[in-house]
Amino acid sequence: MTETEQNRTQNPEETVASSRRTTKRGGGDPAGRGRTTIADGVVEKIAGMAARDVVGVHAMGSGISRTFGAVRERVPGTSKSVTRGVSAEVGEVQTALDLEIVVDYGVSIADVARAVRENVIGAVERMTGLEVVEVNIAVSDVKLPEEEEEEPAQPRIQ
């Protein structure tokens, strides 16, 4: 039987499938056909959300940044800043993070810091594919039970 006769006797679906396999365009893995860059702000948002999910974290950022943030949030059209208290340096394959947190009174600061570090590293690496080389945590305050929430004064004109 000649090659032409063999081709005619094959299942037509197999012939189409085999021709698709042999006619790759561009060649190689699609992941290698371009570059993905991730902005610092993207990593900061992911880390901020992950840190806030940890029990014992009362707030993010220093007292001054929280006060300014509370004022800014009252402006119509603005939203809560999830990046407050988070700073990221993002390279091509690695990132480093600095977080400033306020913890609730009575919790173990070491345990909260460990949980924040684990949660942030897991979320950032899973969502971005970047290797997190360090997560530095600064505890700037402890929220005492009798302390009132920092709220800006109500505007006199409504």
Side-chain angles (χ1 to χ4, degrees):
M1 189 185 274
T2 66
E3 188 178 331
T4 308
E5 290 172 335
Q6 284 178 343
N7 287 342
R8 279 190 231 141
T9 59
Q10 283 183 344
N11 183 346
E13 291 173 8
E14 290 177 8
T15 306
V16 171
S18 67
S19 69
R20 285 187 191 141
R21 284 191 295 260
T22 58
T23 57
K24 272 188 178 177
R25 293 198 176 137
D29 180 23
R33 296 188 209 172
R35 201 172 94 199
T36 302
T37 57
I38 300 172
D40 293 0
V42 172
V43 174
E44 289 169 355
K45 282 184 180 183
I46 295 167
M49 292 297 291
R52 283 176 176 79
D53 285 345
V54 174
V55 175
V57 174
H58 178 76
M60 300 288 295
S62 65
I64 293 172
S65 71
R66 290 194 323 269
T67 302
F68 285 134
V71 171
R72 202 173 29 249
E73 288 167 13
R74 292 204 172 262
V75 175
T78 61
S79 60
K80 186 175 181 177
S81 174
V82 296
T83 61
R84 182 182 320 137
V86 182
S87 175
E89 292 180 32
V90 180
E92 287 188 28
V93 295
Q94 295 179 328
T95 186
L97 295 149
D98 294 320
L99 283 75
E100 189 171 1
I101 65 173
V102 176
V103 297
D104 292 320
Y105 177 79
V107 300
S108 165
I109 293 174
D111 290 346
V112 170
R114 186 178 311 105
V116 167
R117 196 170 278 114
E118 288 173 0
N119 209 34
V120 166
I121 290 170
V124 170
E125 288 185 347
R126 178 177 42 81
M127 293 180 70
T128 66
L130 295 169
E131 177 191 4
V132 178
V133 293
E134 66 180 8
V135 177
N136 299 310
I137 299 173
V139 178
S140 62
D141 201 358
V142 174
K143 167 70 170 80
L144 301 176
E146 64 273 1
E147 287 180 337
E148 292 181 23
E149 289 294 320
E150 294 178 6
E151 291 289 326
Q154 293 291 329
R156 296 183 359 191
I157 301 173
Q158 295 283 335

